[in-house]
Amino acid sequence: MFLTPFAGPRGSNRLALLAGLLVALISLFIYREAIPALALRDADDYMRLAQVRDLMAGQGWWDITQYRVDPASGGGAMHWSRFIDAQIAALIWLLTLLLGAEMGEGWAVAIYPPLLMIPLFWLLGRILAQLGDRRLLMAGLLVAATSVTFLHYFAPFRIDHHNWQLMLSVAMLWLALGEASFRRGIAAALVITAHVEISLEGLPYLAIFGALFALAWLRDPEKAPRLAGFAVGLVILPPLWLFAFRGPPALLEVHCDAFTRPYVAGVATAGAVLFLWLKGPAALRATWVRRGMGLTLAGLAAAGVFLMLGHACRSGPFGELEPLVRTYWYNLVVEGQPIWRQRPASAALFAIPMLIGLGATLWAWRRAPGGWMRDNWFRVSFAALGGGLLSVLVFRTSAVAHVYLVPGFAAMLLAVWNWSREMQSAPRRVAGAVLVLAALPACESLLASSLVEWIAPPERQRAENQACPNPAMLAPLAEERAGLLFAPVDIGPTLLVLTPHSVVATGHHRNHAAMNRVITAYVSRPEDAEPIVRASGATWVTLCTHLPEIDNLSKANPEGLAALLARGQTVEWLRPEPALSRGDFAVYRVLPPLSPAGN
């Protein structure tokens, strides 16, 4: 009787939604003590909240400038999307009506990410239902519910855009498994163009699924409707997304770090050429060779248009970074680096389950019955291989690769369970059942990272590194009249949210010139740093003395400003402010120059 509501296709949907809801509630329970403190997870989460607050305070929909960043230059340019801001702002507005301003904001940013688990699990349920029976569905939901390697993006306070990126990547896989209809092709274009509008990191997934749809048509001309719908969508939808969330000027702007004119024009050209080939004379599509010629022409045309309009982007989204910014910021954002640049334990935590999951997925494809189910397993394998190769180059994308492996792990779990049930003796059956844990990527990740750390123990880091600055440390400074803080770029967003002050720079690459000034000052000797700080107009210099950023800058120059302040040494033009400092968070007032010339 209990399982009756979960019978049939609708019951599968209910089961998946219930699993998502339960996991969301569990995550909220785990983080319940952090909600009143507004303990956001990292700098990007704080910056997202600052952006949402600006929107709710009346800043223009198409104006995403952070005016409290580098105010002397007119504010810091941002490349993020209002697509995410609007949802969080709406939830804050609703909960503020119910709970009051302070509690409303805290609960909104706490529950927003877990709420996204519900549609994520629904999508996973739809995918699993097209790959096997009810047992595979339940096994897959269990695997997903324990997969911390991608669920961490849905933990409370993770209000950055990575959870939406992952969910849209999963939606693309779901659409790839259905019938090859024009309608689903349009839907896939809608999803992937939303993905790339949120972040250019969606572009590789456009290529992966575009290649999957193209390969299906290359093998079978009957799959043309989906590719035609996808091609039409790539012509129509990107400019609409750009207009809706960036404004009319964005249609003419060139930004290499966002889906702007060069990318939009290139993708639209590929879609237009491909659609014309699909609707042209039948002779163009008579053989797989001729269909391949159409795909090649579309690709070459897209590349030509991109190179013509986006010649400035040939060096990539971060080509304009100054050497200091690249060395002491970009290269240290390890999640955006290749897997071989990661700590061994972190690499093992993601790589070992990925290798096992890929093996399980390919095994499940080879064992799948013929027809549509075998085709669907091939599509999952294609997406998983593409996502896995991408994650080798950009470590952050490992989360998407892992979620693509959920069906393969589910098939592996069922196979191990069935094998254990065939054992003759009770002890062997119990031992076999324990091996089911090997099919859970969370267990594999834990064992792999623990083994690597046992072989090569990591360097110990002070616990304060992860807690500075926190609301308690910033409380005295927050009471001061608004001024300008000269602060390390990594803590800039936290200062924006928890104090009324402005900052010279944050770790957001469009403001690389201001970032370069901040980094230059902290690695320079005090006498060389002084004119940089004074030129910024800063009232205070702040830092967390054991912040990893400060540790790196101190190593770069042991006699530089960062190193001296971290050691508590005196700098003539700075006065310590003990009343505003707490723990590892230190505040120094910039003293007036000794003479009009500043000497």
Side-chain angles (χ1 to χ4, degrees), residues 73 151 223 257 281 297 334 337 369 414 434 463 490 497 567 587 595:
S73 300
L151 287 183
K223 298 296 193 297
D257 60 353
L297 180 60
V334 292
Q337 302 296 322
L414 288 178
V434 171
D490 283 348
V497 169
R567 295 197 297 264
V587 180
S595 69

Side-chain angles (χ1 to χ4, degrees), residues 163-243:
N163 40 37
W164 260 100
Q165 289 178 259
L166 188 145
M167 190 164 61
L168 291 173
S169 300
V170 175
M172 286 299 295
L173 180 59
W174 170 55
L175 291 168
L177 301 186
E179 61 177 340
S181 65
F182 185 88
R183 178 176 59 87
R184 291 182 78 89
I186 286 283
L190 177 66
V191 169
I192 199 62
T193 51
H195 196 328
V196 294
E197 199 286 323
I198 292 171
S199 172
L200 199 60
E201 291 177 0
L203 198 58
Y205 298 100
L206 190 157
I208 289 172
F209 286 98
L212 182 57
F213 298 156
L215 179 61
W217 175 61
L218 197 63
R219 298 169 59 191
D220 181 3
E222 297 299 318
K223 298 296 193 297
R226 177 175 58 196
L227 187 60
F230 191 65
V232 168
L234 294 182
V235 174
I236 298 172
L237 294 170
L240 295 179
W241 278 108
L242 197 62
F243 177 84

